[in-house]
Amino acid sequence: MERKEVKPYGDSNRSKKEEVAEMFNNISGKYDFLNHFLSLGIDKLWRKKAVKMLKEIQPKRILDIATGTGDFAIESLSLAPTEVVGIDISEGMLDKGREKMVKRKVDNIISMRLGDSEDLPFEDNYFDALTVGFGVRNFQNLEKGLAEMLRVVRPGGKLIILEFSKPKKFPVKQYFHFHSKYVIPFFGKTISKDASAYTYLPESVAAFPEGKDFEEVLIRLNYKNVDATTVSGGIATIYSGTK
């Protein structure tokens, strides 16, 4: 089944990748504040839960894809890794992340690199674990990005994907619909001054193949032990798999 491509600005002359990079560059200054404000801070709990799922393999080298300003990378420090690499296509977001790492004095462990998740600049089997938070739905070619993620993780290594989903049950379903249709676009536009960025968010969530559909994509790409855990009544899902 062909998936509809959702882009932030809908410019037919530019790729989704180019538009997503521009969007995150535009909102990078307000991103952290808006992220925690619009999720009521719950996103921090989701990342904590996701990182705990990696504890069993005690990863030393971790890659965080679509790292943004590095929140997932910072959370993964609880696993005592020796190297964490955050990669993103937005230099604006990375700059904010680098400031954060220096401030926290963790820039010796966490490096922030500009790069394309669909063409990762790493050798095969380099990382023990990989995380990606709210990033895979921004991939231009979902399967290509997921295959690249698997390539750079060692056999037996684990991959964790945290992504928004669509709650199915009352009252979370109704709340989420109202929140994503009205609250997110209103505050996103008001605070970030980029209206398209925060209407793109709910649209991209709606177009994303979630739950069983997404698990099937992972299995097709040879992810093993694929599992999904919903959090906060189905507002987000943590997918996991091993190589």
Side-chain angles (χ1 to χ4, degrees):
M1 189 181 74
E2 195 175 325
R3 287 189 286 274
K4 179 188 171 216
E5 184 175 66
V6 175
K7 300 196 295 186
Y9 305 110
D11 182 344
S12 58
N13 296 318
R14 292 192 303 161
S15 69
K16 177 173 180 175
K17 201 171 291 181
E18 289 172 297
E19 291 201 13
V20 167
E22 184 194 330
M23 176 188 80
F24 282 115
N25 284 336
N26 287 346
I27 65 174
S28 58
K30 303 286 186 186
Y31 180 79
D32 275 351
F33 169 76
L34 271 167
N35 213 17
H36 303 321
F37 172 70
L38 292 172
S39 72
L40 310 173
I42 299 171
D43 59 309
K44 294 177 183 177
L45 298 176
W46 298 339
R47 274 188 286 271
K48 213 177 267 298
K49 184 169 181 148
V51 163
K52 271 188 185 158
M53 291 180 178
L54 293 173
K55 208 168 184 180
E56 60 184 10
I57 64 161
Q58 297 184 311
K60 290 300 161 205
R61 290 173 170 173
I62 300 172
L63 176 63
D64 184 38
I65 298 247
T67 193
T69 62
D71 280 346
F72 225 145
I74 289 168
E75 190 58 55
S76 72
L77 292 176
S78 64
L79 300 167
T82 53
E83 179 186 9
V84 181
V85 180
I87 197 165
D88 204 281
I89 57 170
S90 165
E91 195 62 74
M93 297 287 274
L94 289 166
D95 281 342
K96 292 287 171 195
R98 288 179 191 119
E99 287 170 19
K100 222 194 266 190
M101 302 315 161
V102 170
K103 205 171 172 183
R104 291 168 178 259
K105 297 184 172 60
V106 293
D107 53 315
N108 59 322
I109 301 172
I110 301 175
S111 60
M112 305 287 276
R113 290 179 57 171
L114 187 69
D116 183 351
S117 52
E118 292 167 39
D119 186 18
L120 293 169
F122 306 106
E123 60 193 63
D124 297 0
N125 310 316
Y126 183 79
F127 294 97
D128 301 307
L130 183 150
T131 57
V132 49
F134 313 114
V136 292
R137 74 175 190 286
N138 296 324
F139 287 0
Q140 187 166 301
N141 183 326
L142 179 62
E143 281 83 357
K144 194 177 175 193
L146 294 171
E148 268 292 89
M149 285 161 48
L150 196 62
R151 177 184 69 78
V152 299
V153 171
R154 66 164 171 80
K158 196 164 185 179
L159 302 96
I160 297 286
I161 300 164
L162 172 60
E163 192 49 85
F164 284 115
S165 43
K166 299 179 277 292
K168 310 290 186 287
K169 293 179 180 169
F170 176 86
V172 183
K173 178 183 175 180
Q174 286 71 13
Y175 167 76
F176 184 74
H177 175 75
F178 177 81
H179 192 72
S180 59
K181 191 163 183 183
Y182 301 106
V183 179
I184 290 174
F186 174 76
F187 283 106
K189 177 185 175 182
T190 307
I191 296 168
S192 78
K193 305 290 187 274
D194 187 327
S196 300
Y198 287 90
T199 50
Y200 164 75
L201 178 93
E203 284 170 6
S204 64
V205 172
F208 184 72
E210 61 168 328
K212 289 284 175 219
D213 291 338
F214 187 60
E215 286 182 68
E216 280 169 19
V217 174
L218 295 174
I219 291 164
R220 197 166 66 240
L221 292 169
N222 295 321
Y223 280 65
K224 296 178 184 138
N225 307 311
V226 172
D227 197 23
T229 305
T230 55
V231 288
S232 300
I235 292 174
T237 303
I238 303 170
Y239 303 92
S240 63
T242 56
K243 181 169 176 177

